[in-house]
Amino acid sequence: MKKYLAILSLFLTTTVLQAQATGRLIGTVIDADSGDALNLTAVIVRSAGKAMRTDFDGKFNMDLPPGQHKVEFKYSGYDPVVRDVTIQAGKTVNLNVTLGAKTLDTVNVQGRGLNKSESALLQLQKKSGTVSDGISEEAIKKSPDSSAGDVLRRVTGITLVGGKFVFVRGLGERYSTTVLNDSVVPSTEPDKRVIPLDLFPASVIKNIRIIKTFAPEDSGEFSGGIVKIETKDYPDKMEASMGFGLGYNSITTGRPFQTFEGGGAANILGMTGSNQKLPGVVSALPDAIPFAPSSNLSQQTVSTMAVSGFSNEWSSKEITAPWDKSFNFSFGNTYKLNQSGDMRIGVLVGSTYSRNFRYRQSVEGRFQAQNAVSPLLTDFTSLAVLKREDVQTWNEEVNFGNNANVTFQLKEGQQIYYKLLYTIQSDKIVRNATGANGVDNFNYISQSLEWTSRTLINQTVGGTHAWTPFGDRPHKFEWHGNFARADRDQPDLRNQLWLSTNSIPRRAGNPDGQRYFSNTIDDVASLNAKYTIPFKQWDGLQSKFKFGGMALDRTKTFRFREFQENLAVAPSAIDFYPVPGEITFNPITLLNGDRQFRERFGDNNAYNAGQKLHAYFAQLEMPIASKLNFLGGARYEDSSQSVATFALKDSYLYETSLSQIYGSGCSIKNSVIREYSIANGICQADNNGIGNLRTRDLLPSANLTWEFKEDMNLRLGYSETVTRPDLRELSPFFFTPYFGADRVQGNSNLNRTYIHNYDLRYEWYMTATDYIGAAIFKKRMSDPIEQIGIPVAGQPQVRYTYANAKQGDIEGIELDYRKDFWNHFRIEGNLFFIKSKVTVLNESEYYAARLGYVSIYSELFGLAPTDIKRSLQGQSERVFNLKFTYFPDKEKHHSLGLYYNYFSERIVVVGGNGLPNAIHQPAGVLDFIYGWQKGEHLDLKFAVRNITNTMFKATQVDNVYGVEQTYFKYREGISISISASYKM
């Protein structure tokens, strides 16, 4: 063993000494006109007798002896460029060059990506044919943010809701599309069409770009914009890094904290434990056979089998909340496989882990509209309490992310790659509530234990191939295949409920003693290909024609099962508060027949869904004149969506493919025939649980960029795009996870939204890092999909559904400013002002429905919006971000930064049946961060988030009494963190 260690030590020492004897020159070569990377550019250093060609990304990487060198860059059809460099032993020099019009300022690019630093990403934005904004890895590292969602709220025109869902230009999260490494990502959320961005740890992200004007090569589901997340690339040289972090929260850390055992050690990694899963005695049965008494299974047998299968953990336990902890590491390198170095393999692997503890105390209220005059006269509407709760929640959150990137360059111009992202995010929540039921006039105590694990696996295999069949510039063929799975597992959610009248007995039945098991799996497989042909237009200016296509196949399944323990005898002492569930639901009570265990079944509790999408595009990028560029074309998309909602007991009818599902629904376009069919029992109002939507759309796009002055652009864009309903939104399923919880129900009759987009933007790139931008935009939407609240008579909760409004209009202004002052200060600010209006129903339809002049079987009958014209849900009229950074030293090794994010009021939930909209009140969050970079290896960061401990509050207005009733309000506390990373 000592012999092997000595050999290894000698090898490492020799490698280090060799590396220190030379320096390294890295950089990127791009086309000054188009901003494209120039692969196969010759890089020649005659003084060292070395030469090479750039790779696909226009990158070069060369070891050189210390001293002065002249570096030549040559590419056929371009003027050669020569640069002087000084190489020092063991140091890396970054040199980025443009061939053509002018030279880029040298920017500090560590690794392969041109778009990794702030200045480089700004240059990419400048040369892009579309309107875009973004944030680089360099900026992410400097911020106090830990996830992609936190990062994105710093970007112009972005609003973050719930810490995870993005609103682009005021449009709700359902109008935003997220792609990871240019592939569509499925969602882990059963009630959302987009993936929560807290699933992406900030440490695995290379950059995030928001594409705000549509180009034919992008997805046609383009509303507010496309969020493009790119994970890190492999480095040009060996790099390894490791980081640790600790965090403190002012209202959680070191205080009493409620938790439960759950799945034990597996939960520490965000995974579901084996003891949390559906017991084998249940899962062994076919889905069509409920775990309930039947002709072949007695009640006593069912109860006895349940004793051995289900956990009897009902109560939380108290601990002292520990400090938040985080850890990350990565390793990457490039391995040359031949002497010339044109055949090589690049590798990057990394992992990040965090475990946070959060306590929240909140107040929640739900109300019902009362109007003694007329529901049409909203000034006479008062609010009656459905429920009011004081809620305490304790959440243990785990984020565990892993990424891998392997790229193989066969030779110059030919490479294939594999990218993997595997991430898990989990919540272990204890929820205690004391509340008042305003319907039946009793107080109650509610407790629940909830575990949710969200997993995303995203795998991409692709290639880029260039050759020069004719002319000077190479043709390029790009392809990639992707498979992604989003899995949301919520096993054994347990509820206890006591009613407080003269005494505090348990509620004998739903939801006391309830257990819920739910699982959502969303799979997306896609194949993308595009081919680029360069050519010269009539004045000899470089142009490109690009065409390609995409095939996507998506399947989504949802299963929900509910079990209960009902009291079969008169209540006894163990059925009163505060006797814990471990005693009340003791297995003995099942074995002796005092309680009966069974599965609730009969209602719809599952759906199978799918989508097939084929798309084809043609795109032209061409200068009309030397400073006026055009990018445009068209995209054709053929989409077919199908959803079958059913009860698991009937699952045998739905075990075939979606194209053969039982029943064709009731998708009858003629309203008279449809109402007749429903009235006579031919079909049901929810389309028999079947949702089918087939759309074929030809989507044009035209973007003009005029560089009317050096470093100034004026952009003009027009496009037509769509937004389709999510598969979940087409399913008429709903459930209540705890007493009084809100219900969300889909709508099988939804149509897709069609959008006309108009954009005008001015850009001034003052320096490589200084920038001013101003934009105005307008969007007109036909059939926008909105969520509408409908109070349920006699119930302490509100039900929500989705519906197509008639029309929506949104217009706004965006401003962006970034500037360095005196080498010690930097100010960055962005803000936007947005006005929107959605017409939910025409006045004639509205009054006909409200006055009872339509059939009860009409689609209009169930739609009773309080306002027929209002702002879009979730849209704030004003949002701004301000960032101030001070650098005490000229080398900028130390930095102190203040970050402020503000949004004005916005609709949280749209009202119905006279109930006013719930309005989230304006809120601002102030963060502070101190950073210290010690040489090239050590980085320290100290951050304070939410310095002012902002109150987040939503209200509904009682018009009769002129008071605001609380829909919810809470604080998150002040969070302090310190982290250190070391780079080798």
Side-chain angles (χ1 to χ4, degrees):
M1 175 61 73
K2 291 182 179 180
K3 175 182 177 182
Y4 293 121
L5 289 175
I7 293 173
L8 178 60
S9 176
L10 178 62
F11 171 76
L12 292 174
T13 302
T14 303
T15 302
V16 171
L17 289 175
Q18 288 176 344
Q20 292 178 346
T22 63
R24 179 161 292 183
L25 177 67
I26 66 173
T28 306
V29 181
I30 67 171
D31 186 319
D33 290 325
S34 67
D36 293 333
L38 287 177
N39 60 306
L40 304 182
T41 301
V43 184
I44 305 167
V45 185
R46 300 184 189 277
S47 57
K50 290 195 173 185
M52 65 173 298
R53 291 186 182 273
T54 57
D55 64 13
F56 265 114
D57 301 313
K59 298 291 183 182
F60 60 91
N61 180 354
M62 184 182 293
D63 291 327
L64 296 173
Q68 298 284 335
H69 299 280
K70 288 187 180 294
V71 185
E72 302 174 41
F73 299 89
K74 293 184 176 182
Y75 192 91
S76 178
Y78 290 80
D79 291 331
V81 172
V82 179
R83 291 288 176 264
D84 293 320
V85 297
T86 301
I87 300 296
Q88 298 180 23
K91 300 292 185 180
T92 299
V93 174
N94 303 276
L95 182 64
N96 298 309
V97 174
T98 58
L99 298 185
K102 57 182 179 179
T103 304
L104 268 176
D105 292 337
T106 298
V107 294
N108 183 25
V109 180
Q110 298 286 345
R112 295 182 56 77
L114 172 66
N115 44 4
K116 186 175 179 179
S117 69
E118 290 184 76
S119 54
L121 189 62
L122 203 58
Q123 289 293 334
L124 181 65
Q125 174 181 313
K126 177 182 178 181
K127 295 299 181 181
S128 171
T130 58
V131 174
S132 66
D133 287 296
I135 189 164
S136 67
E137 180 185 343
E138 182 180 64
I140 293 171
K141 285 182 177 179
K142 294 177 181 178
S143 75
D145 304 322
S146 59
S147 72
D150 292 330
V151 168
L152 272 173
R153 66 191 174 104
R154 315 287 182 190
V155 179
T156 311
I158 298 299
T159 309
L160 190 69
V161 176
K164 60 181 71 176
F165 298 113
V166 169
F167 283 42
V168 181
R169 288 182 159 180
L171 290 167
E173 82 275 350
R174 70 161 332 284
Y175 290 101
S176 301
T177 299
T178 300
V179 296
L180 176 67
N181 296 324
D182 286 327
S183 297
V184 175
V185 186
S187 176
T188 56
E189 297 301 299
D191 290 330
K192 303 287 185 182
R193 73 182 303 273
V194 296
I195 189 165
L197 293 178
D198 60 347
L199 266 176
F200 300 100
S203 61
V204 306
I205 297 171
K206 175 180 172 182
N207 67 66
I208 305 177
R209 297 181 66 207
I210 311 298
I211 311 301
K212 296 182 177 179
T213 58
F214 171 61
E217 64 181 318
D218 291 324
S219 168
E221 286 210 67
F222 186 105
S223 306
I226 294 180
V227 179
K228 289 191 172 183
I229 300 175
E230 186 178 358
T231 55
K232 291 180 178 178
D233 279 331
Y234 68 90
D236 295 310
K237 62 178 182 177
M238 196 279 285
E239 289 184 2
S241 66
M242 183 175 294
F244 300 89
L246 289 174
Y248 170 91
N249 181 265
S250 62
I251 60 176
T252 307
T253 310
R255 298 171 181 262
F257 189 88
Q258 298 294 318
T259 187
F260 59 100
E261 184 64 26
N267 289 174
I268 296 177
L269 293 178
M271 302 176 183
T272 299
S274 58
N275 62 319
Q276 292 176 293
K277 298 178 180 179
L278 197 64
V281 294
V282 180
S283 60
L285 295 173
D287 285 346
I289 302 179
F291 188 66
S294 65
S295 57
N296 298 319
L297 206 61
S298 68
Q299 176 62 71
Q300 190 58 44
T301 302
V302 170
S303 298
T304 302
M305 293 172 65
V307 168
S308 62
F310 289 87
S311 166
N312 195 43
E313 182 182 20
W314 290 91
S315 304
S316 60
K317 62 180 181 180
E318 184 175 300
I319 63 171
T320 298
W323 286 61
D324 300 337
K325 299 176 181 66
S326 63
F327 166 78
N328 66 80
F329 80 90
S330 66
F331 172 83
N333 201 359
T334 296
Y335 301 93
K336 297 179 180 179
L337 303 181
N338 60 7
Q339 189 172 3
S340 64
D342 61 351
M343 180 182 290
R344 59 180 182 265
I345 291 180
V347 177
L348 175 71
V349 294
S351 184
T352 179
Y353 176 84
S354 67
R355 190 180 182 199
N356 302 322
F357 296 82
R358 289 294 179 271
Y359 167 75
R360 176 184 293 180
Q361 185 172 6
S362 61
V363 175
E364 297 182 7
R366 297 296 181 268
F367 307 93
Q368 186 170 2
Q370 291 186 339
N371 193 315
V373 181
S374 169
L376 302 179
L377 302 175
T378 56
D379 289 343
F380 297 95
T381 298
S382 62
L383 300 181
V385 176
L386 288 177
K387 73 160 187 176
R388 183 175 279 119
E389 286 185 327
D390 291 315
V391 183
Q392 292 178 294
T393 57
W394 295 264
N395 183 17
E396 177 186 338
E397 180 184 12
V398 170
N399 282 277
F400 182 34
N402 304 272
N403 67 300
N405 181 346
V406 180
T407 300
F408 177 38
Q409 180 170 302
L410 294 81
K411 61 178 183 178
E412 292 175 349
Q414 308 294 323
Q415 72 174 20
I416 57 175
Y417 59 85
Y418 170 76
K419 292 185 177 182
L420 167 69
L421 177 68
Y422 173 56
T423 180
I424 304 174
Q425 189 266 335
S426 68
D427 294 294
K428 182 185 284 187
I429 298 175
V430 174
R431 183 183 190 275
N432 291 346
T434 57
N437 181 316
V439 177
D440 299 318
N441 296 318
F442 62 80
N443 297 328
Y444 61 87
I445 299 171
S446 172
Q447 295 181 359
S448 64
L449 307 181
E450 176 183 344
W451 164 262
T452 306
S453 177
R454 304 170 184 87
T455 302
L456 174 67
I457 302 175
N458 191 87
Q459 300 182 83
T460 304
V461 177
T464 308
H465 310 277
W467 61 89
T468 310
F470 49 84
D472 298 325
R473 303 184 70 187
H475 291 214
K476 184 182 290 187
F477 175 61
E478 301 168 86
W479 62 274
H480 67 266
N482 177 263
F483 175 78
R485 166 168 288 188
D487 188 341
R488 182 183 187 273
D489 192 24
Q490 189 177 56
D492 211 2
L493 191 162
R494 281 149 283 179
N495 283 323
Q496 299 184 81
L497 179 67
W498 293 267
L499 307 185
S500 178
T501 49
N502 294 327
S503 57
I504 311 180
R506 287 182 178 270
R507 177 168 178 163
N510 182 26
D512 184 49
Q514 298 292 107
R515 300 173 180 267
Y516 305 101
F517 290 77
S518 66
N519 179 257
T520 307
I521 296 177
D522 194 350
D523 289 340
V524 173
S526 63
L527 181 63
N528 293 262
K530 52 189 173 184
Y531 190 90
T532 303
I533 302 173
F535 67 96
K536 294 181 179 180
Q537 49 87 285
W538 50 86
D539 288 329
L541 299 176
Q542 301 289 352
S543 307
K544 291 185 296 184
F545 176 68
K546 186 181 295 186
F547 64 94
M550 178 189 75
L552 179 144
D553 194 347
R554 180 185 179 194
T555 59
K556 188 171 186 177
T557 60
F558 175 78
R559 299 292 184 268
F560 172 78
R561 304 187 72 166
E562 181 179 356
F563 304 87
Q564 61 186 31
E565 296 188 29
N566 291 331
L567 192 63
V569 296
S572 63
I574 65 173
D575 296 305
F576 287 79
Y577 186 82
V579 178
E582 286 80 359
I583 296 177
T584 304
F585 304 116
N586 190 289
I588 294 176
T589 64
L590 291 174
L591 296 175
N592 64 19
D594 289 351
R595 287 187 174 271
Q596 297 177 345
F597 192 98
R598 62 185 298 138
E599 179 176 4
R600 291 188 66 190
F601 63 93
D603 294 332
N604 288 343
N605 60 352
Y607 64 80
N608 293 337
Q611 179 185 19
K612 291 186 181 295
L613 174 67
H614 293 91
Y616 312 93
F617 77 90
Q619 177 175 299
L620 179 64
E621 189 171 352
M622 181 180 70
I624 298 175
S626 62
K627 297 296 183 181
L628 182 62
N629 294 315
F630 169 82
L631 186 150
R635 184 180 183 90
Y636 176 77
E637 292 196 347
D638 183 350
S639 170
S640 177
Q641 296 173 276
S642 300
V643 179
T645 306
F646 54 91
L648 278 176
K649 66 182 181 60
D650 300 324
S651 58
Y652 64 94
L653 298 173
Y654 298 85
E655 291 174 352
T656 55
S657 67
L658 283 170
S659 61
Q660 300 171 311
I661 52 179
Y662 181 78
S664 59
C666 192
S667 299
I668 302 171
K669 299 302 180 183
N670 186 291
S671 60
V672 176
I673 299 176
R674 185 178 186 277
E675 291 170 19
Y676 176 84
S677 300
I678 297 172
N680 290 275
I682 299 173
C683 63
Q684 300 174 5
D686 66 355
N687 287 358
N688 298 353
I690 307 299
N692 289 311
L693 182 62
R694 177 75 180 271
T695 58
R696 299 179 179 91
D697 296 290
L698 181 63
L699 306 171
S701 168
N703 297 275
L704 288 174
T705 303
W706 178 28
E707 190 178 353
F708 65 95
K709 192 176 180 180
E710 186 175 356
D711 295 325
M712 291 187 185
N713 288 339
L714 189 64
R715 299 180 185 271
L716 180 66
Y718 170 77
S719 62
E720 297 176 17
T721 56
V722 298
T723 289
R724 302 179 184 93
D726 184 55
L727 298 174
R728 164 64 180 94
E729 293 170 349
L730 290 168
S731 171
F733 165 80
F734 68 85
F735 81 102
T736 305
Y738 51 84
F739 182 70
D742 301 331
R743 301 178 178 186
V744 179
Q745 179 176 344
N747 178 359
S748 300
N749 302 308
L750 290 176
N751 296 314
R752 63 104 169 90
T753 303
Y754 200 88
I755 307 169
H756 295 263
N757 307 280
Y758 309 85
D759 288 88
L760 176 66
R761 174 149 140 171
Y762 163 79
E763 301 170 341
W764 181 16
Y765 298 87
M766 295 179 284
T767 68
T769 57
D770 295 347
Y771 168 77
I772 292 177
I776 59 175
F777 64 90
K778 179 179 177 62
K779 297 177 182 291
R780 169 151 290 191
M781 301 184 292
S782 301
D783 297 324
I785 299 172
E786 288 283 294
Q787 193 180 84
I788 296 177
I790 303 176
V792 182
Q795 296 292 329
Q797 67 265 92
V798 178
R799 181 181 297 178
Y800 303 103
T801 188
Y802 302 97
N804 286 110
K806 293 297 179 182
Q807 182 176 300
D809 291 281
I810 183 167
E811 52 191 29
I813 300 174
E814 294 177 337
L815 302 173
D816 196 347
Y817 179 80
R818 311 172 204 176
K819 185 74 172 70
D820 287 321
F821 293 92
W822 308 297
N823 202 43
H824 286 284
F825 301 92
R826 181 169 178 81
I827 296 177
E828 299 180 25
N830 60 70
L831 64 155
F832 66 85
F833 306 91
I834 293 180
K835 287 284 188 180
S836 68
K837 181 177 70 175
V838 58
T839 302
V840 183
L841 291 176
N842 295 329
E843 287 191 8
S844 58
E845 295 174 330
Y846 173 74
Y847 288 112
R850 298 291 282 173
L851 297 174
Y853 295 144
V854 299
S855 166
I856 62 172
Y857 305 114
S858 168
E859 291 183 60
L860 296 175
F861 182 79
L863 301 179
T866 300
D867 302 311
I868 60 175
K869 293 183 180 180
R870 54 168 172 77
S871 299
L872 284 166
Q873 180 185 358
Q875 175 252 312
S876 295
E877 288 193 358
R878 299 174 305 281
V879 175
F880 69 83
N881 294 285
L882 180 64
K883 174 184 173 183
F884 174 80
T885 307
Y886 170 63
F887 304 96
D889 58 321
K890 291 184 179 180
E891 295 78 15
K892 298 185 177 181
H893 292 156
H894 298 266
S895 65
L896 296 93
L898 284 174
Y899 293 69
Y900 185 70
N901 173 259
Y902 169 88
F903 61 86
S904 63
E905 65 180 26
R906 61 194 183 206
I907 298 175
V908 178
V909 175
V910 176
N913 281 343
L915 190 70
N917 302 322
I919 306 296
H920 198 306
Q921 298 303 310
V925 177
L926 179 65
D927 302 330
F928 167 80
I929 184 166
Y930 165 74
W932 176 40
Q933 184 177 359
K934 178 66 173 176
E936 296 183 356
H937 301 290
L938 180 64
D939 280 297
L940 297 177
K941 186 164 69 174
F942 171 79
V944 183
R945 300 191 61 182
N946 192 20
I947 294 173
T948 58
N949 194 15
T950 299
M951 168 74 76
F952 297 95
K953 182 179 181 180
T955 60
Q956 291 177 296
V957 177
D958 187 316
N959 290 327
V960 173
Y961 298 100
V963 296
E964 291 185 343
Q965 298 285 3
T966 298
Y967 188 81
F968 66 70
K969 66 176 180 179
Y970 63 89
R971 298 183 188 270
E972 295 182 336
I974 303 169
S975 295
I976 302 173
S977 65
I978 184 169
S979 61
S981 63
Y982 187 80
K983 185 176 180 181
M984 294 169 277

